[in-house]
Amino acid sequence: MRLINQFLNNVKTELVAADATRVGSWWNFKNLNSPFSRLYLVTGGQGYVTHHGKTHELSAGTLHLVPRFTFHSIECEDYMNHFFLHFFFEISSGIEIFKMNAYDYNIKLENYDMYLALFKRLIDLNPDRGIIDLNDMYANYYQRIYNSDYKIKDEECLANSIESDGIIKFLIAPILRTQKETDSHLEDFDKAFVEIFEYIDKNIERTIHIDELAEIIYLNPTYFSDRFQKVMGMRPTQYIMKRRVEMAQIMLMDSDKSLSEIAYATGFCDLPHFSKTFTKRLGVTPAKYRQYFYR
């Protein structure tokens, strides 16, 4: 837990949306991949969420988490009443808390009423972060939230912001409490290695060479690359490309930048290369992805 505790000192939460809603048989989407995490608290009916190779049943009293950048599918045969929370729970270095260990993403709450009250309080504190029109929830929903984001933060009092942050952390605590041991070697990292991830994120717009990454922590490039793969399960070049696409996902959702601007801002040589890489990884073009989440 040593390394994870170091990371937790830099954890930042950010509310994207929170609301209560009822979905029907139209709530049927395949291979979604959101740049934010999703948390559901089901109050009635039934639905299903599939990710990490497993289909999870959503029923009354269920708390369910879908980590950000995770392929998942959702389905409802009849109806499902639920509260939802869309949020960022991130480390500045770009490492995902929910990918550092394995968790039970679908749990039955014993103290359901307490979490219900917390969701209601979060919504009361953030009335402008809900759904506009349930019949058109994906059309202008995210654009409205993100366009008003900074205005809301400027106008809200510090107490509301602190309370919202605390509620989000409290709501996801039951999931974090189910942490399981994995074959991850993340604990092999010393604190200096975190600089690698921060460096990649800060320089994502340009070509990043393995030599310069290895130099940061005074390692031989070959040894550094091997060690990186042991810990992260991929080569540094693969991780860099993964981060380019993830950052593009966020920009497509929360900015007005053109596709070309996003391509260059995330280190792609041109728009065709960006579009081809993005589509290959997510199964949808950047334009379609933005249309779903933003336009």
Side-chain angles (χ1 to χ4, degrees):
M1 292 294 293
R2 174 180 56 82
L3 178 73
I4 294 176
N5 288 337
Q6 292 173 359
F7 283 158
L8 288 176
N9 291 331
N10 298 317
V11 165
K12 180 180 70 174
T13 59
E14 180 75 20
L15 173 65
V16 177
D19 210 340
T21 186
R22 177 188 178 98
V23 297
S25 57
W26 56 266
W27 198 70
N28 192 329
F29 301 93
K30 306 297 182 184
N31 296 320
L32 301 174
N33 191 302
S34 305
F36 49 77
S37 295
R38 300 170 181 255
L39 188 71
Y40 300 107
L41 175 62
V42 183
T43 59
Q46 189 177 53
Y48 300 91
V49 179
T50 300
H51 57 89
H52 290 92
K54 183 178 180 179
T55 297
H56 306 270
E57 179 181 335
L58 307 182
S59 56
T62 297
L63 186 71
H64 186 91
L65 172 78
V66 181
R68 67 190 301 209
F69 303 128
T70 297
F71 280 103
H72 63 284
S73 298
I74 55 179
E75 180 182 2
C76 179
E77 296 176 353
D78 186 11
Y79 80 95
M80 185 178 76
N81 296 329
H82 67 281
F83 287 82
F84 68 84
L85 167 64
H86 297 170
F87 66 102
F88 294 127
F89 189 62
E90 61 185 0
I91 302 170
S92 59
S93 61
I95 297 179
E96 299 299 320
I97 286 286
F98 298 117
K99 294 188 178 179
M100 294 176 72
N101 291 285
Y103 300 92
D104 289 331
Y105 297 106
N106 200 77
I107 60 178
K108 279 285 188 178
L109 294 171
E110 295 181 0
N111 44 358
Y112 165 77
D113 290 340
M114 178 177 66
Y115 287 90
L116 186 65
L118 286 170
F119 257 105
K120 291 179 179 178
R121 177 59 178 165
L122 184 62
I123 292 170
D124 287 342
L125 289 169
N126 302 275
D128 293 326
R129 302 298 181 97
I131 293 176
I132 301 173
D133 182 355
L134 286 176
N135 295 317
D136 195 24
M137 64 182 295
Y138 293 107
N140 298 307
Y141 175 34
Y142 296 97
Q143 181 180 13
R144 173 175 175 267
I145 290 170
Y146 272 87
N147 283 352
S148 63
D149 180 60
Y150 296 104
K151 181 173 183 291
I152 292 171
K153 282 194 171 299
D154 287 342
E155 293 178 351
E156 70 182 358
C157 69
L158 178 61
N160 284 3
S161 179
I162 292 175
E163 186 176 354
S164 294
D165 182 78
I167 290 175
I168 293 172
K169 290 176 179 175
F170 198 100
L171 287 172
I172 63 177
I175 304 294
L176 293 173
R177 200 168 287 121
T178 68
Q179 176 185 316
K180 302 174 182 177
E181 293 295 328
T182 68
D183 59 357
S184 169
H185 297 278
L186 280 167
E187 292 294 347
D188 292 339
F189 276 7
D190 57 35
K191 189 174 182 180
F193 215 105
V194 178
E195 296 179 32
I196 298 297
F197 300 97
E198 296 174 344
Y199 184 87
I200 289 172
D201 280 6
K202 291 177 181 178
N203 295 276
I204 200 70
E205 78 284 352
R206 65 174 183 80
T207 300
I208 302 174
H209 299 284
I210 303 301
D211 290 1
E212 63 184 291
L213 296 179
E215 186 178 349
I216 293 173
I217 53 176
Y218 310 105
L219 292 179
N220 172 276
T222 300
Y223 177 72
F224 164 75
S225 184
D226 290 342
R227 185 175 176 187
F228 191 100
Q229 183 175 33
K230 178 183 178 182
V231 176
M232 298 302 295
M234 65 186 78
R235 290 290 180 184
T237 52
Q238 295 173 311
Y239 175 82
I240 292 169
M241 186 58 69
K242 172 177 172 289
R243 287 300 292 159
R244 293 193 196 286
V245 173
E246 289 175 349
M247 289 185 171
Q249 287 177 253
I250 296 173
M251 289 184 188
L252 286 167
M253 182 182 69
D254 72 355
S255 79
D256 286 318
K257 292 181 181 293
S258 68
L259 296 184
S260 293
E261 288 175 323
I262 292 175
Y264 291 123
T266 51
F268 290 93
C269 59
D270 53 37
L271 180 56
H273 182 215
F274 166 56
S275 183
K276 181 179 179 179
T277 302
F278 190 97
T279 303
K280 182 178 180 179
R281 285 178 173 265
L282 296 182
V284 62
T285 65
K288 287 292 184 181
Y289 190 87
R290 164 169 275 180
Q291 183 180 15
Y292 181 80
F293 280 109
Y294 182 72
R295 294 301 179 185

